Amino acid sequence: MPSDWNPWDWEGYRLDQQPDWPDPEALSAVLKELATRSPLVYPSEIEELRGSLAKAANGKAFVLQAGDCAESFHDHSATAIRAKLKVILQMAVVLTYSSGVSVVKIGRIAGQFAKPRSSPMEEVDGVELPSFRGHIVHADEATAAARRPEPERLLRAYEQSRSTVQILKALTEGGFSDLSQAHMWNLDFVESSPEGERYEAVAAEIDRALKFMAACGIDLSTEEVLHKVDIWTSHEALLLGYEAALTRRDRSSGRYYDLSAHSVWVGERTRSLDGGHLRFVSGIANPIGIKVGPTMAAAELLEICEMVNPDRIPGRLTLVSRMGTGLVEERLPELVRAVRDAGHPVVWLCDPMHGNTFTSETGYKTRRFEDIFAEIASFFGIHRRLGTWAGGVHIELTGEDVTECLGGSLEVLQSELCRAYDTICDPRLNARQSLDLAYRVAELLIH
Ligand code: PEP
Ligand code: CO
């Protein structure tokens, strides 16, 4: 932590991508209220995640960070959260079972509400409106009144996040995520697909392995790793008032932790060296992600590493490459080389979503499964060539049967995007496409 840092001093810095709050006093009142609420996560959990990420920084674990582009106030339910958890658990099983590498599971969940936008205005059905910045700021309906920022939404986002954390805890501690339940994680609409059938075979082998261990006299009920599945929470730290209000000083260590999530990241549009976002995250002890897009220069990236992780603590800093499949070969190698040569112990993740978005002929914002996989394959190839570890992937997905991204083994066509295009922000992989991707990434991990 910089010696003169405090959780609110970002207010004196340049701030990109902030909503234009019409009533600053109402915002202050809400932030004061938020600061009295209880934490969503605990320092000991955050330290446990940092330890797991340190293994990934060291080439001994693989990270799967996944979830919605933007969580929604419309569809908050235990059923939807369970579906999302199922997909993430399935992907993790496929990755671990195929490669023998342990997988650190992090959701874009329980706080992933605020969205940065490329343009402050957007056109919807011929009407010019303030761009949608997430339900934590305003409603998504296409009217000027709906797009007016409302500070009370920060409290609603907090309450929904709290409920999401509780649901996740109930599921993971209640046995739902035990490996012995792996059969149960196939979603109805996935079960009969080729990926679903392939998954069933893996689940059956896991069952056999568990039975074998039991027959050898190993008491599986006492093997914690089989029962205690950790799924950590993360989101983009975009609205720093929300983050600062939930930041607390840990008495025993004296460190500040942002207790809104286990880990937070700084997005591609807010990562400037002189900005409030990097200032804020440099003072909290959580694991931090930084998005790294095609305009990042090696010298700038090294300055960011020095600023966010001056003590070079493994697991503290994750760099999330999001170049797009067309630019990754050109832009990523020099950055990986520079960080490697400077000796920074980072985890490199590949976000193959945000550099591969385009608008379909039918007018939908979409991504091609093949582009997503191609960027991941390049990412692995680059790390292999440079002798560094491809530490994981960062994916936008959902447990619902949506048609938002094109392709996959049961191909979604342009003409089908309209069937179930439900996202309030970016297009997500559906559960079948996610599982398909996990098989293909597993092959890269083995070779
Ligand atoms: C996101 O992760 O949803 C996002 C907006 O990413 P980026 O900052 O990389 O564009
Ligand atoms: Co997104």
Side-chain angles (χ1 to χ4, degrees), residues 69 108 115-116 236 265 267-269 291 322 354 396:
C69 176
R108 288 176 60 112
K115 299 311 299 174
E236 176 171 352
W265 75 84
E268 169 69 0
R269 296 165 189 80
K291 291 288 195 98
R322 34 89 80 223
H354 290 91
E396 287 183 345

